[in-house]
Amino acid sequence: MPVEEFVAGWISGAVGLVLGHPFDTIKVRLQTQNTYQGIVDCILKTYRHESVLGFFKGMSFPIASVALVNSVLFGVYSNTLLALTATSHQERRAQPPSYTNIFIAGCTGGLLQAYCLAPFDLIKVRLQNQTEPRVQIGSPGARYRGPVHCAVSILREEGPRGLFRGSWALVLRDTPTLGMYFVTYEGLCRQYTPEGQNPSSATVLVAGGFAGIASWITATPFDVIKSRMQMDGLKGRKYRGMLDCMASSFQQEGIGVFFKGMTLNSARAFPVNAATFLSYEYLLRLWR
């Protein structure tokens, strides 16, 4: 099993995470809290109350964990394609796999990524939703002092299942959308690259950016439910399950609730995924 795809996926995931985390923090808060009037209001309140560091809450943990999970996505995707088509990464430009195989490989990577990601993503979301300012003498501290304390607290208060809260919504978010993610990327690369050649850096950037936008537009409804399920249990159980969360959210806030954060998801998706694919492709070419 080739391992370079896993390594390239880890490094490219870390690059994308650093670029996108501030957008992700604002997106998560908009999806789970009703105290903001919109994107600009959330940005201003976060900055005034928590300084610029508020946009990077929960990032230290994902640098190691979520980037590692990204390596699972790219590694499993590439090795699944290898199993389906018997072609390595460098051979796929001359012998391009079918879009069906690409979609299956992407879905497989998305499914395994979701199960690996669930506990890490839950901890990230809990930390991002802490709106307390920087700790000062005499001021009340945040509920969680860091990612390890957050994980221990969840285990103690909610049990092992608490770390996988929202995992079904995460699976439903990632499995089909990551299949479409890779199909979009490969389709655009083929469209604008001469047959048998590697795509240029500009093509990789554009294809990666639009693949990210396409996947996040379809993923946002389940992303909202996932974030709300992950915050459920913090102050008592509000939802009986994923379907109850969907029904309650719809009854209270209307159809628009399922698209909260979509503008931010789309704005973040282009630069993050453009950088992710560019670094991934560059690293694989460098090693070969």
Side-chain angles (χ1 to χ4, degrees), residues 68-123:
L68 183 62
V69 170
N70 196 73
S71 78
V72 173
L73 169 63
F74 279 89
V76 170
Y77 166 75
S78 186
N79 282 281
T80 302
L81 267 185
L82 177 62
L84 291 172
T85 65
T87 56
S88 63
H89 184 271
Q90 63 265 35
E91 296 170 334
R92 288 175 199 146
R93 296 304 171 194
Q95 306 173 54
S98 69
Y99 289 119
T100 299
N101 284 336
I102 292 171
F103 183 76
I104 292 171
C107 289
T108 304
L111 177 64
L112 293 177
Q113 176 199 251
Y115 275 108
C116 296
L117 178 64
F120 303 126
D121 191 64
L122 182 137
I123 292 168

Side-chain angles (χ1 to χ4, degrees), residues 265-277:
N265 274 339
S266 300
R268 179 189 64 156
F270 193 95
V272 167
N273 290 282
T276 297
F277 269 110

Side-chain angles (χ1 to χ4, degrees), residues 203-218:
T203 299
V204 170
L205 284 170
V206 172
F210 279 109
I213 291 175
S215 64
W216 271 112
I217 287 175
T218 56

Side-chain angles (χ1 to χ4, degrees), residues 23 25 35 50 58-59 62 67 79 82 87 94 97 101-102 111 139-140 148 151 160 189 191 206 208 248 285:
F23 294 98
T25 298
T35 57
E50 305 165 59
M59 192 180 81
N79 282 281
L82 177 62
T87 56
N101 284 336
I102 292 171
L111 177 64
S139 64
V148 175
C189 283
Q191 183 70 28
V206 172
S248 298
R285 293 177 196 175

Side-chain angles (χ1 to χ4, degrees), residues 25-42:
T25 298
I26 299 303
K27 180 265 295 183
V28 166
R29 292 185 176 189
L30 288 171
Q31 289 177 339
T32 59
Q33 302 179 32
N34 293 320
T35 57
Y36 305 111
Q37 297 174 359
I39 295 172
V40 175
D41 182 52
C42 184

Side-chain angles (χ1 to χ4, degrees), residues 77-268:
Y77 166 75
S78 186
N79 282 281
T80 302
L81 267 185
L82 177 62
L84 291 172
T85 65
T87 56
S88 63
H89 184 271
Q90 63 265 35
E91 296 170 334
R92 288 175 199 146
R93 296 304 171 194
Q95 306 173 54
S98 69
Y99 289 119
T100 299
N101 284 336
I102 292 171
F103 183 76
I104 292 171
C107 289
T108 304
L111 177 64
L112 293 177
Q113 176 199 251
Y115 275 108
C116 296
L117 178 64
F120 303 126
D121 191 64
L122 182 137
I123 292 168
K124 174 186 72 70
V125 167
R126 292 278 179 98
L127 292 174
Q128 285 176 318
N129 269 293
Q130 292 192 144
T131 58
E132 293 82 3
R134 297 183 67 181
V135 177
Q136 298 176 350
I137 297 176
S139 64
R143 182 186 180 97
Y144 303 120
R145 297 192 295 271
V148 175
H149 180 252
C150 179
V152 171
S153 298
I154 293 170
L155 280 170
R156 184 176 61 248
E157 298 167 7
E158 304 171 46
R161 291 181 63 183
L163 286 173
F164 290 88
R165 197 177 298 280
S167 59
W168 275 114
L170 185 61
V171 168
L172 291 173
R173 184 196 76 174
D174 284 358
T175 302
T177 55
L178 285 170
M180 187 178 69
Y181 176 67
F182 285 106
V183 167
T184 304
Y185 173 74
E186 290 292 339
L188 289 173
C189 283
R190 292 181 192 180
Q191 183 70 28
Y192 298 104
T193 303
E195 188 175 349
Q197 296 185 20
N198 288 320
S200 66
S201 296
T203 299
V204 170
L205 284 170
V206 172
F210 279 109
I213 291 175
S215 64
W216 271 112
I217 287 175
T218 56
T220 296
F222 279 113
D223 189 50
V224 173
I225 300 305
K226 183 269 303 179
S227 295
R228 293 189 170 204
M229 291 292 294
Q230 288 172 329
M231 290 303 295
D232 193 37
L234 190 62
K235 297 179 180 179
R237 294 292 301 274
K238 182 178 179 181
Y239 306 116
R240 294 190 299 272
M242 186 177 67
L243 292 178
D244 182 54
C245 178
M246 295 173 68
S248 298
S249 298
F250 176 73
Q251 290 172 359
Q252 294 172 15
E253 301 173 60
I255 191 68
V257 69
F258 299 112
F259 300 96
K260 279 190 172 183
M262 189 171 72
T263 301
L264 268 175
N265 274 339
S266 300
R268 179 189 64 156

